[in-house]
Amino acid sequence: MSTNFRGFLRNLPLNTDLMREFLAEHLFDAADSVDWSADEPTLATALADAIERHPDTAIRDDLIAALEQIAQLADPAGTRQMLTVCSTDTAIVAAFEALESPEERATWLYVNSPAKFNEAVIARWFDEGLMRDSSQRWTLPAYPGLHLTDADHKTIAAHVASFYQQRFGYGRNYQPYVVPRPLEGSLLFVIDLSDHACNRAVWVRGTLKRGPLILSRTLVLNYHLATGRTETVAPGGEVAQKVLVDAFTEHGLKKKGTATKIVRETYRLDSLRDGVDVFDREALGIHQPRLKSIAILEMESGLRSTFEVMGRGNRASVEQLIEAAYPTDNPLNRKWLIVGAHIELPFYPEEGHGGTQEKTLRLRFNRKGQANLHKFTQEERNVIEPLLVEWGLVTETKVAPPAAIEEAPQ
């Protein structure tokens, strides 16, 4: 991902109608200060210089902020969200196919579909929020054909906003909306609780328009239609997220009851000392799994050491290299705590794909013994979770109990 707008401009074709539309929207005219016939690297530098020298600092700052926000959707995580929120819009899909790079697609979406651009930003922000300890997971009733009406949106949001007003003193101006994620098999239910127009996207006649989109007072609930698995990211702590889930269950699913909170799994990382072999990997279509990195901690001194296999194409496992490098004093045998790991599951090439493209699932465990399972589809989780049991990371597969359901009064 480009870390600043200059780096982002270097990855864009600049002498295009798309870039001129983008600049025109921000009232920026570089016709006199930039030679548009210059080669792309020279043009990128000249355009960046012209932006920084713009006499109106408000225009300059808004333009740079827009470029850096677009750059967020041009990295792999942002690209995935662009594709998933736009997958049912045939016009956007066709436009994406005509563009060659994620940078162009993100810029096109910014210029031509402000609402979808904001939806992709929200979806990306939500996925990043799942990595925080404050995020929560729940089991709700599955509802594959769920359709939320505008009245449902308002009822859920009003209930949640009332809690925020009483507890935190804000939430009088709220706006709910739904971001469908067809590729994920889920939908995001979003509530913007900001009381100040400058802190949220702009709403015009009920339609979300592009704006600053500051997300500090935004609540998001991700509901998987087929399974009822739900994740929440919201300010205000555990009680606030439970209010959001209960309101969604009662007024969205039309089922009243106590949603079951899924306790975040803590994996026993010390079991990785025995490696990550798979008993019947051929049946799963997996090559030999690889432990690509492992971090160990000596508690008394606070010394942390990380061993990592370098090189994306390197098929070695870290425990093999450690054993070869330390034949008589293997660090893994010192019983230091394991506080992080990275495991690769490389699959055999899929039939019908030319036999050359391999799929690899990458599991990561942090110092708290938590994993990135939320990044995978349900089908991938069905492959991964039995392996966690086989490796001794957990004692049994994670099966959430069904929620106790009571029909809501009509």
Side-chain angles (χ1 to χ4, degrees):
M1 171 182 170
S2 300
T3 56
N4 56 54
F5 80 100
R6 284 181 173 272
F8 180 68
L9 288 175
R10 286 194 292 269
N11 292 320
L12 272 176
L14 299 176
N15 192 6
T16 62
D17 290 339
L18 176 61
M19 178 51 64
R20 292 186 181 87
E21 288 179 35
F22 168 77
L23 295 175
E25 181 172 331
H26 288 270
L27 305 176
F28 183 85
D29 185 5
D32 297 331
S33 55
V34 173
D35 179 9
W36 290 94
S37 64
D39 60 86
E40 290 290 341
T42 302
L43 178 55
T45 300
L47 183 56
D49 290 342
I51 292 172
E52 288 190 331
R53 292 195 305 264
H54 197 279
D56 190 327
T57 57
I59 292 177
R60 179 200 64 195
D61 293 346
D62 286 348
L63 183 52
I64 292 176
L67 285 169
E68 294 187 347
Q69 189 177 47
I70 293 171
Q72 286 187 315
L73 287 188
D75 70 356
T79 298
R80 177 179 178 181
Q81 298 310 323
M82 278 196 298
L83 295 176
T84 191
V85 303
C86 300
S87 60
T88 57
D89 191 312
T90 55
I92 295 178
V93 171
F96 279 3
E97 290 177 351
L99 300 171
E100 296 182 357
S101 69
E103 289 82 6
E104 290 178 88
R105 297 185 185 102
T107 306
W108 186 94
L109 197 63
Y110 183 96
V111 171
N112 293 280
S113 183
K116 286 296 182 183
F117 182 88
N118 274 342
E119 289 182 4
V121 171
I122 285 284
R124 188 186 191 285
W125 174 81
F126 170 78
D127 275 3
E128 290 179 348
L130 286 182
M131 300 297 291
R132 298 196 294 266
D133 290 339
S134 58
S135 66
Q136 297 182 9
R137 288 152 182 80
W138 310 79
T139 296
L140 273 63
Y143 200 149
L146 178 64
H147 172 70
L148 297 174
T149 65
D150 290 342
D152 295 332
H153 296 176
K154 294 176 181 178
T155 302
I156 298 170
H159 184 84
V160 175
S162 176
F163 166 81
Y164 272 84
Q165 289 178 46
Q166 295 176 15
R167 178 66 65 89
F168 303 109
Y170 65 86
R172 293 173 180 78
N173 298 314
Y174 57 86
Q175 182 70 50
Y177 57 99
V178 169
V179 178
R181 300 211 293 179
L183 298 183
E184 311 283 349
S186 67
L187 59 83
L188 295 178
F189 185 81
V190 186
I191 306 176
D192 174 12
L193 288 178
S194 181
D195 285 335
H196 303 286
C198 62
N199 286 338
R200 64 173 181 227
V202 180
W203 293 87
V204 178
R205 297 178 182 176
T207 301
L208 180 66
K209 298 297 184 182
R210 188 178 51 255
L213 205 63
I214 297 174
L215 302 171
S216 61
R217 292 185 179 179
T218 300
L219 296 77
V220 185
L221 178 148
N222 186 51
Y223 176 72
H224 295 261
L225 300 170
T227 64
R229 183 165 57 91
T230 300
E231 300 92 12
T232 54
V233 173
E238 295 184 5
V239 175
Q241 295 189 55
K242 187 176 187 305
V243 169
L244 172 62
V245 169
D246 287 345
F248 182 84
T249 305
E250 179 175 355
H251 303 294
L253 303 183
K254 309 304 180 186
K255 303 284 186 178
K256 183 179 181 180
T258 303
T260 301
K261 181 181 177 181
I262 301 175
V263 178
R264 193 186 292 262
E265 188 71 68
T266 300
Y267 300 97
R268 298 190 295 267
L269 298 185
D270 282 348
S271 65
L272 295 177
R273 299 181 197 277
D274 299 326
V276 290
D277 198 8
V278 177
F279 175 72
D280 194 10
R281 54 188 174 85
E282 288 81 7
L284 296 175
I286 301 176
H287 284 292
Q288 181 64 40
R290 297 189 286 269
L291 184 60
K292 297 294 287 185
S293 73
I294 192 166
I296 55 178
L297 175 67
E298 203 277 317
M299 290 296 294
E300 291 185 4
S301 65
L303 176 65
R304 173 182 171 130
S305 299
T306 300
F307 298 91
E308 181 177 2
V309 177
M310 302 303 293
R312 195 175 184 87
N314 192 335
R315 296 180 177 273
S317 289
V318 71
E319 71 268 23
Q320 299 169 347
L321 300 183
I322 292 176
E323 185 176 354
Y326 303 91
T328 61
D329 188 22
N330 190 327
L332 297 183
N333 294 334
R334 299 179 188 175
K335 300 304 180 182
W336 289 3
L337 291 179
I338 297 179
V339 293
H342 174 197
I343 299 171
E344 284 190 351
L345 296 176
F347 286 75
Y348 293 110
E350 298 180 5
E351 296 182 4
H353 288 74
T356 58
Q357 186 68 31
E358 295 184 0
K359 176 181 178 180
T360 300
L361 302 182
R362 295 177 173 84
L363 280 166
R364 290 181 171 83
F365 299 87
N366 64 18
R367 61 183 176 84
K368 296 183 179 180
Q370 298 166 354
N372 61 336
L373 286 191
H374 65 278
K375 293 285 187 180
F376 302 103
T377 65
Q378 187 60 48
E379 182 180 0
E380 292 167 343
R381 290 167 64 98
N382 292 339
V383 174
I384 293 170
E385 289 179 354
L387 298 180
L388 302 179
V389 178
E390 185 173 342
W391 294 331
L393 290 164
V394 289
T395 55
E396 59 185 5
T397 53
K398 298 185 296 180
V399 178
I405 300 303
E406 175 188 343
E407 291 288 342
Q410 302 296 322

